[in-house]
Amino acid sequence: MSDIDVPEDHPRYESLLTRHRIEDGVEKGITSRQGLIAQGRGEAFDYLLGERTIPSADAAERAAAAQLLLADHAVLSVNGNVAALVPGELVELAEETGAELEVNLFNRTDERMQAIVDHLREHGADEVKGLAADGRIPNLSHERAKVDSDGIGDADVVLVPLEDGDRAEALAAMGKVEIVVDLNPMSRSAQSADVPIVDNIVRAVPNVTRHARELADASREELQGIVDEFDREAALAAAERAIREGVGRDE
Ligand code: PTJ
């Protein structure tokens, strides 16, 4: 990471650090320039949420952990923003849940694909999928539809953080259990998810891992119970409410 000069006592330290990581990602050829815009959009929602994990997001993160542990074949999809923000944390989550990692880009270029695969390996990943690109998500244009047929193509559960709405909808239409991380509860991605996590990716991924560790010895019945109990509509409504309250909050 490049020199980051953020005073630790700054009230928005975490948020500024996150910005630097995204900037760094762009410099390293990992994150697209559009990724900077996406981050800004996310920050606006996070600011309104109070830059914290709200209780409904924590419940979603627990349900996500249970889904990943129940899966026959879980894949964590990695794009340029996620790779810049939480590379090591994603590797840990994959290890904890037995999921695979697959690089899957909206603005796909061979250079960026390779840079992200290398970046994840530097952060401890053994195998990273995405380069074979021998499968397709139906009903999407060519470049955006590419996946590995033995990765996302074959998965029963996929984690798609900060996903473009079209692709999130197309993946959901393939019948996969879709876990989305998106700070905007009104986005099509969050709306199409079985488990919408309305939280910042920098808090969400470590928290899913923490839940997965706690649930490591749970029975399949217990895990299924957590999944069944999770109410996606209620979680989306709670997040929207928290954001509306954030608009009226004095600071
Ligand atoms: O690396 P690529 O080519 O795959 O491109 C990745 C981006 C993110 C640029 C691409 O997928 C894109 O343009 O996404 P959108 O349509 O801007 O959607 C991104 C969503 O993620 C928005 O709803 C943001 O509010 C949300 N978001 C942004 N930053 C974060 C976030 N959600 C959680 N944590 C964040 N840090």
Side-chain angles (χ1 to χ4, degrees), residues 75-214:
V75 176
L76 315 181
S77 179
V78 184
N79 67 19
N81 284 51
V82 175
L85 292 177
V86 283
E89 292 84 345
L90 275 174
V91 173
E92 250 183 79
L93 177 59
E95 277 169 5
E96 198 59 44
T97 58
E100 289 187 310
L101 293 164
E102 177 165 339
V103 181
N104 197 247
L105 300 183
F106 179 65
N107 305 295
R108 188 184 178 104
T109 66
D110 289 343
E111 294 72 26
R112 215 149 63 78
M113 288 294 297
Q114 191 61 56
I116 296 173
V117 168
D118 294 345
H119 186 64
L120 290 171
R121 290 213 177 105
E122 279 162 26
H123 282 84
D126 289 333
E127 204 202 338
V128 183
K129 290 198 176 334
L131 295 175
D134 54 351
R136 294 283 174 275
I137 306 172
N139 303 318
L140 276 184
S141 60
H142 189 67
E143 284 301 306
R144 293 161 57 203
K146 286 182 175 174
V147 289
D148 278 16
S149 57
D150 64 349
I152 288 177
D154 173 65
D156 57 342
V157 177
V158 285
L159 173 83
V160 283
L162 281 66
E163 186 57 274
D164 157 74
D166 266 8
R167 294 205 321 168
E169 283 181 350
L171 279 168
M174 286 175 86
K176 299 181 189 301
V177 171
E178 192 171 54
I179 304 164
V180 162
V181 182
D182 194 320
L183 278 159
N184 178 5
M186 290 152 292
S187 76
R188 280 187 297 141
S189 308
Q191 295 281 338
S192 67
D194 297 280
V195 183
I197 299 176
V198 183
D199 200 2
N200 197 315
I201 188 77
V202 301
R203 297 188 299 269
V205 171
N207 204 29
V208 177
T209 306
R210 183 179 66 80
H211 282 298
R213 276 198 190 111
E214 275 176 23

Side-chain angles (χ1 to χ4, degrees), residues 13 15 21 28-29 53 56 61 73 78 80 92 136 144 149 153 167 176 189 216 232 238:
Y13 175 73
S15 166
R21 289 206 191 129
K28 285 187 182 146
T53 299
S56 57
E61 284 154 6
H73 182 191
V78 184
E92 250 183 79
R136 294 283 174 275
R144 293 161 57 203
S149 57
R167 294 205 321 168
K176 299 181 189 301
S189 308
R232 63 179 293 284

